Amino acid sequence: MTAWKDVEEAVPEFAARVRKIFDAHKHKTIATLRADGAPRISGIEAEFVDGELRFGSMTHARKGADLHRDPRFALHSPSVDPPEGNPAGWAGDAKIAGRARAVGPVDGEADGEQFHADIDEVVFTGLTADATKLVIEVWTPRGGLRRVERA
């Protein structure tokens, strides 16, 4: 099991960049798997709390049923266009994939269930400082951090 705190300990600068992108906007997108194996994309709110990446599902929502049946998920940060005329000003985007673990009811007044993420992969996609190449950084618990640049 790899929690968000493990990513922060292993690659603190990378984790900080990824978290900043996720924290920049409230709404994210999550992919889960339907009973027939087809992907389902849903809007979701997610947050980093006490070293965990956590998110919820309203009672009887399909995404929660998906996660109980098959806990695999992929979470995508909000996508924001680069500033006009300044592609190097793009913050990039980020993805986290793993397995959701049900941990009980959501905090607060909402009726639903909370999940914590067991993280398999974290990806940052951005541009080089001169905005001439795409940069893809991938961290996995076993493989560590890898960086690829594409023209």
Side-chain angles (χ1 to χ4, degrees):
M1 231 172 33
T2 301
W4 181 251
K5 67 181 179 201
D6 301 317
V7 180
E8 291 177 316
E9 290 171 8
V11 283
E13 186 274 333
F14 173 75
R17 279 188 288 125
V18 168
R19 182 170 177 171
K20 183 177 179 180
I21 291 168
F22 270 100
D23 287 347
H25 299 279
K26 184 175 188 175
H27 297 107
K28 290 82 168 144
T29 305
I30 192 168
T32 58
L33 295 169
R34 299 173 190 247
D36 66 0
R40 182 190 314 273
I41 301 291
S42 305
I44 196 165
E45 296 175 19
E47 60 185 351
F48 299 92
V49 177
D50 297 329
E52 297 282 354
L53 169 58
R54 65 184 196 180
F55 45 86
S57 177
M58 294 187 311
T59 302
H60 306 299
R62 298 303 347 141
K63 104 182 101 190
D66 290 347
L67 292 170
H68 278 284
R69 186 180 46 263
D70 186 329
R72 293 177 292 171
F73 73 90
L75 182 69
H76 193 278
S77 69
S79 291
V80 179
D81 290 337
E84 183 136 350
N86 180 20
W90 181 48
D93 71 14
K95 302 171 203 72
I96 299 174
R99 299 179 193 300
R101 180 172 31 91
V103 295
V106 295
D107 296 334
E109 298 177 17
D111 184 26
E113 186 170 22
Q114 183 172 285
F115 294 87
H116 287 185
D118 293 334
I119 297 171
D120 295 332
E121 180 181 70
V122 181
V123 179
F124 167 82
T125 304
L127 298 172
T128 56
D130 62 2
T132 60
K133 294 181 182 172
L134 186 67
V135 175
I136 303 162
E137 293 177 289
V138 179
W139 180 87
T140 63
R142 288 189 178 173
L145 185 62
R146 298 181 326 267
R147 178 184 171 105
V148 175
E149 291 185 12
R150 295 187 180 151

